[in-house]
Amino acid sequence: MKRHLSIFMAFVIVLTLVFSVPSVTYAAMNTVESDNISSYLDDLGSIMQFIKDNYAGDITYDQMEEGAIKGILSSLDKYSTYFTKDEMDSFAESTSGTFTGVGMVVEQRDNHIVVVSTIKGSPAQKAGVKSGYIVQSVDGKDVEGMSINDVTSLIKGEKGTKVKIGFLVNGKTVEYEITRDVININPVSYKIINGIGYMSISEFNGNTEENVAKALDYMDQNNIKKLVIDLRDDPGGYLQEAEAVANFFVPAGPVVTVAMNGGNNQTFYSNLKNQKYKIAVLINNGTASAAEILAGAIQDTKAGVLVGENSYGKGTVQEVFSFSDGSGMKLTIAKYLLPSGRWIDGTGLKPDVEVKDSRVTLPELVYTKDIKKGDTGNDVKLLQSYLSLLGYYKGEPNGYFGNDTYDAIVSFQKYAGIPATGVLDRGTTDALSYFYGLTLRNDAQLDKAIELLNQQ
C-alpha cells in the first residue's frame, strides 16, 4: 500500500508542542511574545518553520519530517518503526525470502568480511567460493574497513549482471567473476530420525509453504506418520504463510483471528479434513509471531503437543506502508487471537511438556588463516569457546592465545588423531566443527518429543 510522506504528515499536523522559553529574546531570533508561543506553534508545520528559522545548526525539512515520523512511531510500541529507503529494501528482502545477488552468507569478524557459507545452488557456490574466504575487493574497489552493509550493497545487483569479487585465500588474492541471479531462501530443512519425521522451519518467508509441502511429500514417500516440527528460534514472518502451513496440520476450523481497531475482525481457517500426522512441536523463547500462530493453533486444537520452553509472546500484527521516496514504516495494525480466543502477547505459549534446552550453540568456526600462540582477537576467543565446550580449555575465553590455549589445542589434536601442532589450521578447524556438531545431538527437547511420539 503506497503512502506519500506528505499524506502521512497530515495525520500528525494536529500535534502541539508545550514548552517554556527563556524570558530574554535574542536579536538573532524572530521575536515572538513568550505568552503567545504555544498558540503560535500550534501545528507541526509551524514548529518546523520555527526550528528552521532559529536552530543554530543545519537542518532540512526532510530531516525534520523523518525525525517526526520516527518519534511518533517510537512512542507507539516496540514493533512500529520507520525505515529509510535502504532499511525498507533490506526489510522487504529479508521477509520475502528472495533477493538478487551471488548467494554468499557473510559476517564481519575482526574488521574482515568473511564468507560463512554459500547458499545451495547459488552462483557463489557454483563458482567455487568457500567458507572462510575473506572479501578484499568488489569490482576493483578495496573494501577493507568498510561496513558489512556497504560491502553487501556493492555485491548485490540486477539479475544477469556480473561482479568481480577479490578474496584472500590462504594468504593469496583470488578473484572470481560471478553472474548475479535471483536467490530463493529455503527456510525448511528435514530428515527422518529412527522412523520419526523431523522438520525445522527457521522463518515464515515467502517460500515457507512451498518448501513445507516438499518436506511432507518426502515424509509421505517414506510412510512417515509421526512428525516433529521444530519452531525453536523461529522469529515469525508472514501471517499468511503461517496460516497456509497450518492447513497441513490443524483440523478444519479457525486458525487465527486478526482483531483490528474498530472491531473489524478477520478469521483465517484451515480446511484440513483428516489429520495425517501425530505431531510434537518444539518451541523456546525465540519462537515468536507467525511461529506462535502455528504452534498455538496446533495446541488449541489438540492437533499436537508442544515441547520445550515458553515462547516469546508477540501477539500483534504489523503492516508495512511505503512512501513515494522509497522509505516507509512498519505499523502495528491489529492483535491476533488463537482458535481458543486467547491473546498471548507478553505471555507466550506455555509448552505442554516443559524441557530445558541442553544444547550449547556457538557461532560457526570459520577458517580464514592459521591462528597460533601470541595471536589475539575474537577468532581466538571463539576458538577458546569451542575448546571449553569440548572440555579442553579450562579458563574463561579471553581472546589471547597463550600457553593455556596452546596446551588445550594440543590435547584436542591428540584426541582427534591429527598433527599436534598447537596451531588452529584448517584441519583442526574441521575437526573442532565436527566434534562440536556431535554435542548438538545432545538435544533433550528433541529427544523428549521423539519419546512422546513413540508412546502414541
Side-chain angles (χ1 to χ4, degrees):
M1 182 183 296
K2 297 289 184 182
R3 286 288 187 275
H4 191 279
L5 188 58
S6 62
I7 294 175
F8 177 77
M9 295 306 294
F11 293 120
V12 300
I13 202 72
V14 296
L15 289 180
T16 59
L17 179 63
V18 180
F19 64 101
S20 60
V21 295
S23 59
V24 177
T25 302
Y26 293 95
M29 294 179 62
N30 289 336
T31 57
V32 180
E33 294 294 332
S34 60
D35 56 357
N36 291 351
I37 194 73
S38 292
S39 61
Y40 174 73
L41 299 177
D42 62 356
D43 62 55
L44 189 61
S46 297
I47 295 170
M48 291 169 62
Q49 184 63 54
F50 183 84
I51 293 172
K52 190 79 171 76
D53 291 341
N54 295 287
Y55 178 56
D58 293 326
I59 189 72
T60 66
Y61 288 111
D62 286 345
Q63 289 173 322
M64 285 189 280
E65 286 180 344
E66 181 177 308
I69 298 173
K70 285 181 178 179
I72 293 168
L73 291 170
S74 66
S75 72
L76 302 178
D77 66 295
K78 62 183 177 181
Y79 305 115
S80 297
T81 188
Y82 171 80
F83 293 131
T84 64
K85 182 182 183 304
D86 289 343
E87 291 169 342
M88 187 74 167
D89 292 342
S90 296
F91 180 80
E93 182 180 281
S94 66
T95 53
S96 69
T98 301
F99 68 95
T100 303
V102 301
M104 298 188 312
V105 179
V106 297
E107 286 185 359
Q108 192 148 12
R109 297 187 178 184
D110 287 343
N111 298 320
H112 294 303
I113 306 300
V114 179
V115 178
V116 175
S117 62
T118 55
I119 297 170
K120 184 178 180 180
S122 67
Q125 185 195 50
K126 292 176 181 177
V129 177
K130 303 292 184 183
S131 169
Y133 284 16
I134 298 174
V135 181
Q136 282 194 316
S137 64
V138 179
D139 285 333
K141 182 174 183 177
D142 187 355
V143 300
E144 185 176 357
M146 293 177 62
S147 71
I148 190 169
N149 290 334
D150 289 340
V151 175
T152 54
S153 293
L154 292 174
I155 294 174
K156 293 176 183 176
E158 296 297 322
K159 177 183 177 180
T161 59
K162 297 181 183 296
V163 59
K164 292 182 179 180
I165 307 176
F167 298 98
L168 182 64
V169 182
N170 296 327
K172 298 180 180 179
T173 299
V174 180
E175 188 174 71
Y176 290 75
E177 184 176 75
I178 306 174
T179 302
R180 301 179 177 100
D181 202 352
V182 175
I183 310 295
N184 294 309
I185 304 297
N186 177 8
V188 180
S189 60
Y190 55 90
K191 59 185 176 181
I192 297 173
I193 305 172
N194 298 326
I196 302 290
Y198 171 85
M199 179 175 65
S200 172
I201 304 176
S202 61
E203 64 176 330
F204 285 85
N205 66 23
N207 304 317
T208 303
E209 179 194 8
E210 172 189 353
N211 286 288
V212 167
K214 291 178 181 178
L216 295 180
D217 283 344
Y218 174 81
M219 300 300 172
D220 293 344
Q221 291 170 13
N222 288 276
N223 198 32
I224 296 299
K225 303 299 182 185
K226 299 178 180 181
L227 181 67
V228 176
I229 304 174
D230 193 344
L231 298 179
R232 292 175 295 183
D233 299 314
D234 183 330
Y238 290 145
L239 180 148
Q240 292 85 351
E241 287 288 318
E243 177 267 331
V245 171
N247 269 263
F248 293 117
F249 308 114
V250 176
V255 172
V256 63
T257 296
V258 177
M260 303 184 71
N261 191 18
N264 298 320
N265 296 348
Q266 182 179 7
T267 300
F268 296 86
Y269 293 88
S270 169
N271 300 309
L272 182 64
K273 294 182 179 179
N274 299 306
Q275 188 175 346
K276 187 181 292 186
Y277 311 99
K278 295 185 182 299
I279 300 169
V281 182
L282 300 180
I283 63 171
N284 64 6
N285 189 250
T287 305
S289 192
E292 290 177 295
I293 289 176
L294 176 60
I298 289 173
Q299 185 179 49
D300 276 7
T301 59
K302 302 191 184 306
V305 60
L306 304 192
V307 179
E309 298 166 286
N310 213 77
S311 68
Y312 180 81
K314 180 179 179 291
T316 56
V317 179
Q318 286 70 43
E319 186 170 353
V320 177
F321 300 86
S322 300
F323 302 142
S324 61
D325 64 351
S327 64
M329 66 176 176
K330 178 161 61 78
L331 180 67
T332 298
I333 60 164
K335 64 181 182 180
Y336 70 78
L337 307 175
L338 295 174
S340 64
R342 59 180 170 147
W343 187 42
I344 63 167
D345 196 65
T347 58
L349 298 166
K350 181 178 175 59
D352 300 298
V353 180
E354 186 172 354
V355 181
K356 296 294 183 183
D357 195 347
S358 61
R359 301 171 302 164
V360 178
T361 55
L362 295 172
E364 185 173 352
L365 190 64
V366 178
Y367 175 81
T368 57
K369 62 179 181 179
D370 286 357
I371 298 176
K372 56 188 181 301
K373 188 184 290 188
D375 287 342
T376 61
N378 289 328
D379 286 342
V380 175
K381 192 171 184 178
L382 184 59
L383 164 63
Q384 292 168 334
S385 297
Y386 270 73
L387 291 169
S388 176
L389 175 63
L390 297 174
Y392 294 95
Y393 183 79
K394 304 303 181 184
E396 184 72 22
N398 56 21
Y400 173 70
F401 198 132
N403 290 330
D404 51 355
T405 305
Y406 177 86
D407 293 341
I409 201 168
V410 166
S411 296
F412 168 76
Q413 289 170 329
K414 289 178 179 178
Y415 173 80
I418 57 180
T421 61
V423 174
L424 179 67
D425 51 21
R426 183 175 293 277
T428 305
T429 301
D430 292 342
L432 282 168
S433 297
Y434 171 77
F435 283 101
Y436 166 69
L438 295 181
T439 70
L440 295 180
R441 296 182 185 179
N442 178 26
D443 188 341
Q445 293 172 335
L446 175 59
D447 291 344
K448 187 63 177 181
I450 292 174
E451 177 189 330
L452 292 171
L453 288 174
N454 280 326
Q455 292 172 356
Q456 298 182 23

